[in-house]
Coordinates of all heavy atoms in Angstrom, one line a residue:
Q52 N 175.2 63.8 73.1 CA 175.0 62.9 74.2 C 173.8 61.9 74.0 O 173.7 60.9 74.6 CB 174.8 63.6 75.6 CG 176.1 64.2 76.0 CD 175.9 64.9 77.4 OE1 174.8 65.0 78.0 NE2 177.0 65.3 77.9
N53 N 172.9 62.3 73.0 CA 171.7 61.5 72.7 C 172.1 60.1 72.4 O 172.9 59.9 71.4 CB 171.0 62.2 71.6 CG 169.7 61.4 71.3 OD1 169.0 61.0 72.1 ND2 169.4 61.3 70.0
G54 N 171.6 59.1 73.1 CA 171.8 57.7 72.8 C 173.2 57.2 73.2 O 173.5 56.0 72.9
F55 N 174.1 58.0 73.7 CA 175.4 57.6 74.1 C 175.3 57.1 75.5 O 174.7 57.8 76.4 CB 176.4 58.8 74.0 CG 177.8 58.3 73.9 CD1 178.4 57.8 72.7 CD2 178.7 58.4 75.0 CE1 179.7 57.4 72.7 CE2 180.0 58.0 75.0 CZ 180.5 57.5 73.8
N56 N 175.9 56.0 75.8 CA 175.8 55.4 77.2 C 176.7 56.2 78.1 O 178.0 56.1 78.0 CB 176.3 53.9 77.1 CG 176.1 53.3 78.5 OD1 176.0 53.9 79.5 ND2 176.0 52.0 78.5
L57 N 176.2 57.0 78.9 CA 176.9 57.9 79.8 C 177.4 57.2 81.1 O 177.8 57.9 82.0 CB 176.1 59.2 80.1 CG 175.7 60.0 78.9 CD1 174.8 61.2 79.3 CD2 177.0 60.5 78.2
T58 N 177.2 55.9 81.1 CA 177.7 55.2 82.3 C 178.8 54.2 82.0 O 179.4 53.6 82.9 CB 176.5 54.4 83.0 OG1 176.0 53.5 82.0 CG2 175.4 55.4 83.4
S59 N 179.1 54.0 80.7 CA 180.1 53.0 80.3 C 181.3 53.7 79.8 O 181.3 54.7 79.2 CB 179.5 52.1 79.2 OG 178.5 51.3 79.7
P60 N 182.5 53.0 80.0 CA 183.7 53.6 79.5 C 183.6 53.7 78.0 O 182.8 53.0 77.3 CB 184.8 52.5 79.9 CG 184.2 51.8 81.0 CD 182.7 51.8 80.8
F61 N 184.4 54.6 77.4 CA 184.3 54.8 75.9 C 185.7 55.0 75.4 O 186.7 55.3 76.1 CB 183.5 56.1 75.6 CG 184.1 57.4 76.2 CD1 184.9 58.1 75.4 CD2 183.8 57.8 77.5 CE1 185.5 59.3 75.9 CE2 184.4 58.9 78.0 CZ 185.2 59.7 77.2
T62 N 185.8 54.8 74.1 CA 187.1 55.1 73.4 C 186.9 56.3 72.5 O 185.8 56.8 72.2 CB 187.4 53.9 72.4 OG1 186.4 53.8 71.4 CG2 187.6 52.6 73.2
W63 N 188.1 56.9 72.1 CA 188.0 58.0 71.2 C 187.2 57.7 70.0 O 186.3 58.5 69.6 CB 189.4 58.5 70.9 CG 189.4 59.6 69.8 CD1 189.4 60.9 70.1 CD2 189.5 59.4 68.4 NE1 189.3 61.6 68.9 CE2 189.4 60.7 67.8 CE3 189.5 58.3 67.6 CZ2 189.4 60.9 66.5 CZ3 189.6 58.6 66.2 CH2 189.5 59.9 65.7
R64 N 187.5 56.6 69.3 CA 186.8 56.2 68.1 C 185.3 56.1 68.3 O 184.5 56.6 67.5 CB 187.4 54.9 67.6 CG 186.7 54.4 66.3 CD 187.4 53.2 65.7 NE 188.4 53.6 64.7 CZ 188.0 54.0 63.5 NH1 186.7 54.1 63.2 NH2 188.9 54.3 62.6
K65 N 184.9 55.5 69.3 CA 183.4 55.3 69.6 C 182.8 56.7 69.8 O 181.7 56.9 69.3 CB 183.2 54.4 70.8 CG 181.8 54.2 71.2 CD 181.7 53.2 72.4 CE 180.2 53.0 72.8 NZ 180.1 52.2 74.0
L66 N 183.5 57.5 70.6 CA 182.9 58.9 70.8 C 182.8 59.7 69.6 O 181.7 60.3 69.3 CB 183.9 59.6 71.8 CG 183.5 61.0 72.1 CD1 182.3 61.1 73.1 CD2 184.7 61.7 72.7
V67 N 183.8 59.7 68.8 CA 183.8 60.5 67.5 C 182.8 60.0 66.5 O 182.0 60.8 65.9 CB 185.2 60.6 66.9 CG1 185.2 61.3 65.6 CG2 186.1 61.4 67.9
F68 N 182.7 58.7 66.4 CA 181.7 58.1 65.5 C 180.3 58.5 66.0 O 179.5 58.9 65.1 CB 181.9 56.5 65.5 CG 180.9 55.9 64.5 CD1 181.3 55.7 63.2 CD2 179.6 55.5 64.9 CE1 180.4 55.1 62.3 CE2 178.8 54.9 64.1 CZ 179.1 54.7 62.7
H69 N 180.1 58.4 67.3 CA 178.7 58.8 67.8 C 178.4 60.3 67.5 O 177.4 60.6 67.1 CB 178.7 58.5 69.3 CG 177.4 58.9 69.9 ND1 176.2 58.2 69.7 CD2 177.0 60.0 70.6 CE1 175.2 58.8 70.3 NE2 175.7 60.0 70.8
Y70 N 179.4 61.2 67.8 CA 179.2 62.6 67.6 C 178.9 62.9 66.1 O 177.9 63.6 65.8 CB 180.4 63.4 68.0 CG 180.5 63.7 69.5 CD1 179.7 63.1 70.4 CD2 181.5 64.6 69.9 CE1 179.8 63.4 71.8 CE2 181.6 64.9 71.3 CZ 180.8 64.3 72.2 OH 180.9 64.6 73.5
L71 N 179.6 62.3 65.2 CA 179.4 62.5 63.8 C 178.1 61.9 63.3 O 177.4 62.5 62.5 CB 180.6 62.0 63.0 CG 181.9 62.7 63.2 CD1 183.1 62.0 62.5 CD2 181.8 64.2 62.7
K72 N 177.7 60.8 63.9 CA 176.4 60.2 63.5 C 175.3 61.1 64.0 O 174.3 61.3 63.2 CB 176.3 58.8 64.2 CG 175.2 58.0 63.8 CD 175.5 57.4 62.4 CE 174.4 56.4 62.1 NZ 174.3 56.2 60.7
E73 N 175.4 61.7 65.2 CA 174.3 62.6 65.6 C 174.3 63.9 64.8 O 173.2 64.4 64.6 CB 174.5 62.9 67.1 CG 174.2 61.8 68.1 CD 172.7 61.4 67.9 OE1 171.8 62.2 68.0 OE2 172.4 60.2 67.8
I74 N 175.5 64.3 64.4 CA 175.5 65.5 63.5 C 174.7 65.2 62.2 O 173.9 66.0 61.7 CB 176.9 66.0 63.2 CG1 177.5 66.6 64.5 CG2 177.0 66.9 62.1 CD1 179.0 66.9 64.4
S75 N 174.9 64.0 61.7 CA 174.3 63.6 60.4 C 172.8 63.5 60.6 O 172.0 63.8 59.8 CB 174.9 62.4 59.8 OG 174.6 61.2 60.5
V76 N 172.3 63.0 61.8 CA 170.9 62.8 62.1 C 170.2 64.2 62.2 O 169.1 64.4 61.8 CB 170.7 62.0 63.5 CG1 169.3 62.2 64.0 CG2 171.1 60.6 63.3
H77 N 171.0 65.2 62.8 CA 170.4 66.5 63.0 C 171.0 67.5 62.0 O 171.3 68.7 62.3 CB 170.7 67.0 64.4 CG 170.0 66.1 65.5 ND1 168.6 66.2 65.7 CD2 170.4 65.1 66.2 CE1 168.3 65.3 66.7 NE2 169.4 64.6 67.0
K78 N 171.3 67.0 60.8 CA 172.1 67.8 59.9 C 171.4 69.2 59.5 O 172.1 70.1 59.3 CB 172.4 67.0 58.6 CG 171.2 66.6 57.8 CD 171.7 65.7 56.7 CE 170.4 65.1 56.0 NZ 170.8 64.0 55.2
N79 N 170.1 69.2 59.5 CA 169.4 70.5 59.2 C 169.8 71.6 60.2 O 170.1 72.7 59.8 CB 167.9 70.4 59.1 CG 167.5 69.6 57.8 OD1 168.2 69.6 56.8 ND2 166.4 69.0 57.9
F80 N 169.8 71.2 61.5 CA 170.2 72.2 62.5 C 171.7 72.6 62.3 O 172.0 73.8 62.2 CB 170.1 71.5 63.9 CG 170.8 72.3 65.0 CD1 170.2 73.4 65.5 CD2 172.0 71.9 65.5 CE1 170.8 74.2 66.5 CE2 172.7 72.6 66.5 CZ 172.1 73.8 67.0
F81 N 172.6 71.6 62.1 CA 174.0 71.9 61.9 C 174.3 72.7 60.6 O 175.1 73.6 60.6 CB 174.8 70.6 62.0 CG 174.9 70.1 63.4 CD1 174.1 69.1 63.9 CD2 175.9 70.6 64.2 CE1 174.2 68.6 65.1 CE2 176.0 70.1 65.5 CZ 175.2 69.2 66.0
Y82 N 173.6 72.3 59.5 CA 173.7 73.1 58.3 C 173.3 74.5 58.5 O 174.0 75.4 58.0 CB 172.8 72.5 57.2 CG 173.3 71.2 56.6 CD1 172.4 70.4 55.8 CD2 174.5 70.7 56.7 CE1 172.7 69.2 55.3 CE2 174.9 69.4 56.2 CZ 174.0 68.7 55.4 OH 174.4 67.5 54.9
S83 N 172.2 74.8 59.1 CA 171.7 76.1 59.3 C 172.6 76.9 60.2 O 173.0 78.1 59.9 CB 170.3 76.1 60.0 OG 169.4 75.5 59.1
V84 N 173.1 76.4 61.3 CA 174.0 77.1 62.2 C 175.3 77.3 61.6 O 176.0 78.3 61.7 CB 174.1 76.4 63.6 CG1 175.0 77.2 64.5 CG2 172.7 76.3 64.2
A85 N 175.8 76.3 60.8 CA 177.1 76.5 60.1 C 177.1 77.6 59.1 O 178.1 78.2 58.9 CB 177.4 75.2 59.4
Q86 N 176.0 77.9 58.5 CA 175.9 79.0 57.5 C 175.8 80.4 58.2 O 175.9 81.4 57.5 CB 174.7 78.7 56.6 CG 175.0 77.5 55.7 CD 173.8 77.1 54.9 OE1 172.7 77.6 55.1 NE2 174.1 76.2 53.9
A87 N 175.5 80.4 59.5 CA 175.3 81.7 60.2 C 176.7 82.3 60.5 O 177.6 81.6 60.9 CB 174.6 81.5 61.5
N88 N 176.8 83.6 60.3 CA 178.0 84.4 60.6 C 179.3 83.7 60.1 O 180.3 83.6 60.9 CB 178.1 84.6 62.1 CG 177.0 85.5 62.6 OD1 176.4 86.2 61.8 ND2 176.7 85.4 63.9
D89 N 179.3 83.3 58.9 CA 180.6 82.7 58.3 C 181.1 81.5 59.1 O 182.3 81.4 59.4 CB 181.6 83.8 58.1 CG 181.2 84.8 57.1 OD1 180.6 84.5 56.1 OD2 181.6 86.0 57.4
N90 N 180.2 80.7 59.6 CA 180.6 79.5 60.3 C 181.1 79.7 61.8 O 181.3 78.8 62.5 CB 181.6 78.6 59.6 CG 181.3 78.2 58.2 OD1 180.1 78.0 58.0 ND2 182.2 78.1 57.4
F91 N 181.2 81.0 62.2 CA 181.8 81.2 63.5 C 181.0 80.6 64.7 O 181.7 80.1 65.5 CB 182.0 82.8 63.7 CG 182.5 83.1 65.1 CD1 183.9 82.9 65.3 CD2 181.7 83.5 66.1 CE1 184.4 83.1 66.5 CE2 182.3 83.8 67.4 CZ 183.6 83.6 67.6
I92 N 179.7 80.8 64.7 CA 179.0 80.3 65.8 C 179.1 78.8 66.0 O 179.5 78.3 67.1 CB 177.5 80.7 65.7 CG1 177.3 82.2 65.7 CG2 176.6 80.0 66.7 CD1 175.9 82.7 65.3
L93 N 178.9 78.0 65.0 CA 179.0 76.6 65.1 C 180.5 76.2 65.4 O 180.7 75.3 66.2 CB 178.5 75.8 63.8 CG 178.5 74.3 64.0 CD1 177.6 73.9 65.1 CD2 178.0 73.7 62.6
F94 N 181.4 76.8 64.8 CA 182.8 76.5 65.1 C 183.1 76.7 66.6 O 183.6 75.8 67.3 CB 183.8 77.4 64.3 CG 185.2 77.2 64.7 CD1 185.9 76.2 64.2 CD2 185.8 78.1 65.6 CE1 187.3 76.0 64.6 CE2 187.1 77.9 66.1 CZ 187.8 76.8 65.5
Q95 N 182.7 77.8 67.1 CA 182.9 78.1 68.5 C 182.2 77.1 69.5 O 182.8 76.6 70.4 CB 182.5 79.6 68.9 CG 183.1 80.1 70.2 CD 184.6 80.1 70.2 OE1 185.2 80.6 69.2 NE2 185.2 79.5 71.2
L96 N 180.9 76.8 69.1 CA 180.2 75.9 70.0 C 180.9 74.5 70.0 O 181.1 73.9 71.0 CB 178.8 75.7 69.4 CG 177.8 76.9 69.5 CD1 176.6 76.6 68.7 CD2 177.6 77.3 70.9
M97 N 181.3 74.0 68.8 CA 181.9 72.7 68.7 C 183.3 72.7 69.3 O 183.7 71.7 70.0 CB 181.9 72.2 67.3 CG 180.4 71.9 66.8 SD 180.3 71.4 65.1 CE 180.8 69.7 65.3
Y98 N 184.1 73.7 69.0 CA 185.4 73.8 69.5 C 185.5 73.8 71.0 O 186.2 73.0 71.6 CB 186.2 75.0 69.0 CG 187.6 75.1 69.5 CD1 188.6 74.5 68.9 CD2 187.9 75.8 70.7 CE1 189.9 74.5 69.4 CE2 189.1 75.9 71.2 CZ 190.2 75.2 70.5 OH 191.4 75.3 71.0
D99 N 184.6 74.6 71.7 CA 184.6 74.6 73.1 C 184.3 73.3 73.7 O 184.9 72.8 74.7 CB 183.6 75.7 73.6 CG 184.0 77.1 73.3 OD1 185.2 77.3 73.0 OD2 183.2 78.0 73.5
M100 N 183.3 72.6 73.1 CA 182.9 71.3 73.7 C 184.0 70.2 73.4 O 184.4 69.5 74.3 CB 181.6 70.9 73.0 CG 181.0 69.6 73.5 SD 179.5 69.1 72.7 CE 180.2 68.5 71.1
V101 N 184.5 70.1 72.2 CA 185.4 69.1 71.8 C 186.8 69.3 72.5 O 187.3 68.4 73.1 CB 185.6 69.0 70.3 CG1 186.7 68.0 69.9 CG2 184.2 68.5 69.7
F102 N 187.3 70.5 72.5 CA 188.6 70.7 73.1 C 188.5 70.4 74.6 O 189.5 69.8 75.1 CB 189.1 72.2 72.9 CG 190.4 72.5 73.6 CD1 191.6 72.0 73.2 CD2 190.3 73.2 74.8 CE1 192.7 72.2 73.9 CE2 191.5 73.4 75.5 CZ 192.7 72.9 75.1
T103 N 187.5 70.9 75.3 CA 187.4 70.7 76.7 C 187.3 69.2 77.0 O 188.0 68.7 77.9 CB 186.1 71.3 77.3 OG1 186.2 72.7 77.0 CG2 186.0 71.1 78.7
L104 N 186.6 68.4 76.2 CA 186.5 67.0 76.4 C 187.8 66.3 76.1 O 188.3 65.5 76.9 CB 185.4 66.4 75.6 CG 185.2 64.8 75.7 CD1 185.0 64.4 77.1 CD2 184.1 64.4 74.8
Y105 N 188.4 66.6 75.0 CA 189.7 66.0 74.7 C 190.8 66.3 75.7 O 191.6 65.5 76.1 CB 190.2 66.4 73.3 CG 189.5 65.8 72.1 CD1 188.4 64.9 72.3 CD2 189.9 66.0 70.8 CE1 187.8 64.3 71.2 CE2 189.3 65.5 69.7 CZ 188.3 64.6 69.9 OH 187.6 64.0 68.9
K106 N 190.8 67.5 76.2 CA 191.7 67.9 77.3 C 191.5 67.1 78.5 O 192.5 66.6 79.1 CB 191.6 69.4 77.6 CG 192.6 69.9 78.6 CD 192.5 71.4 78.7 CE 193.6 71.8 79.7 NZ 193.6 73.3 79.9
R107 N 190.3 66.9 78.9 CA 190.0 66.0 80.1 C 190.5 64.6 79.8 O 191.0 64.0 80.7 CB 188.4 65.9 80.3 CG 187.9 67.1 81.0 CD 186.4 66.8 81.4 NE 185.7 68.0 81.4 CZ 184.4 68.2 80.9 NH1 183.8 67.2 80.5 NH2 183.9 69.3 81.0
M108 N 190.2 64.1 78.6 CA 190.7 62.7 78.3 C 192.2 62.6 78.4 O 192.7 61.7 78.9 CB 190.2 62.4 76.9 CG 188.7 62.2 76.8 SD 188.0 62.2 75.1 CE 188.8 60.7 74.4
G109 N 192.9 63.6 77.8 CA 194.4 63.6 77.9 C 194.9 63.7 79.3 O 195.8 63.0 79.7
E110 N 194.3 64.6 80.1 CA 194.7 64.7 81.5 C 194.4 63.4 82.3 O 195.2 63.0 83.2 CB 194.1 65.9 82.1 CG 194.7 67.2 81.5 CD 194.0 68.5 82.0 OE1 192.9 68.4 82.6 OE2 194.6 69.6 81.8
F111 N 193.3 62.8 82.0 CA 193.0 61.5 82.6 C 194.1 60.5 82.3 O 194.6 59.8 83.2 CB 191.6 61.0 82.2 CG 191.3 59.6 82.7 CD1 190.9 59.4 84.0 CD2 191.6 58.5 81.9 CE1 190.6 58.1 84.4 CE2 191.4 57.2 82.3 CZ 190.9 57.0 83.6
R112 N 194.4 60.4 81.0 CA 195.4 59.4 80.5 C 196.8 59.7 81.2 O 197.5 58.8 81.6 CB 195.5 59.5 79.0 CG 196.5 58.5 78.4 CD 195.7 57.4 77.8 NE 196.6 56.3 77.3 CZ 196.6 55.9 76.0 NH1 195.8 56.5 75.1 NH2 197.3 54.9 75.7
L113 N 197.2 61.0 81.3 CA 198.5 61.3 81.8 C 198.5 61.4 83.3 O 199.6 61.4 83.9 CB 198.9 62.7 81.3 CG 199.2 62.8 79.8 CD1 199.4 64.2 79.4 CD2 200.4 61.9 79.4
K114 N 197.3 61.5 83.9 CA 197.2 61.7 85.4 C 197.8 63.0 85.9 O 198.3 63.1 87.0 CB 197.7 60.5 86.1 CG 197.0 59.2 85.8 CD 197.6 58.0 86.6 CE 196.9 56.7 86.4 NZ 196.2 56.4 85.1
Q115 N 197.8 64.0 85.0 CA 198.3 65.3 85.3 C 197.9 66.3 84.2 O 197.4 65.9 83.1 CB 199.8 65.3 85.4 CG 200.5 65.0 84.0 CD 202.0 65.0 84.2 OE1 202.6 64.7 85.3 NE2 202.8 65.2 83.1
P116 N 198.0 67.6 84.5 CA 197.6 68.6 83.4 C 198.5 68.4 82.2 O 199.6 68.0 82.3 CB 197.9 69.9 84.1 CG 197.8 69.7 85.6 CD 198.3 68.2 85.7
L117 N 197.9 68.8 81.0 CA 198.7 68.7 79.8 C 199.8 69.7 79.8 O 199.7 70.8 80.4 CB 197.8 69.1 78.6 CG 196.6 68.2 78.3 CD1 195.9 68.7 77.0 CD2 197.0 66.7 78.1
S118 N 201.0 69.3 79.3 CA 202.1 70.3 79.1 C 201.6 71.4 78.1 O 200.7 71.2 77.4 CB 203.3 69.6 78.6 OG 203.1 69.1 77.3
S119 N 202.4 72.5 78.1 CA 202.0 73.5 77.2 C 202.2 73.1 75.7 O 201.4 73.4 74.9 CB 202.8 74.8 77.4 OG 204.2 74.5 77.4

Side-chain angles (χ1 to χ4, degrees):
Q52 290 183 352
N53 182 41
F55 200 78
N56 186 339
L57 298 175
T58 60
S59 295
F61 64 93
T62 63
W63 173 86
R64 177 173 264 289
K65 182 178 176 183
L66 176 74
V67 172
F68 184 88
H69 177 78
Y70 278 11
L71 293 171
K72 189 78 168 157
E73 286 300 310
I74 288 170
S75 68
V76 167
H77 298 281
K78 63 185 171 196
N79 288 333
F80 168 79
F81 286 95
Y82 287 164
S83 297
V84 179
Q86 293 173 347
N88 295 341
D89 296 323
N90 302 330
F91 178 76
I92 294 168
L93 186 59
F94 173 83
Q95 196 62 50
L96 295 173
M97 293 179 78
Y98 179 86
D99 290 347
M100 184 183 74
V101 171
F102 174 76
T103 301
L104 178 56
Y105 283 5
K106 185 175 180 180
R107 280 188 211 144
M108 290 164 64
E110 290 175 344
F111 172 83
R112 181 105 186 237
L113 295 172
K114 297 179 179 30
Q115 65 184 22
L117 297 183
S118 67
S119 56

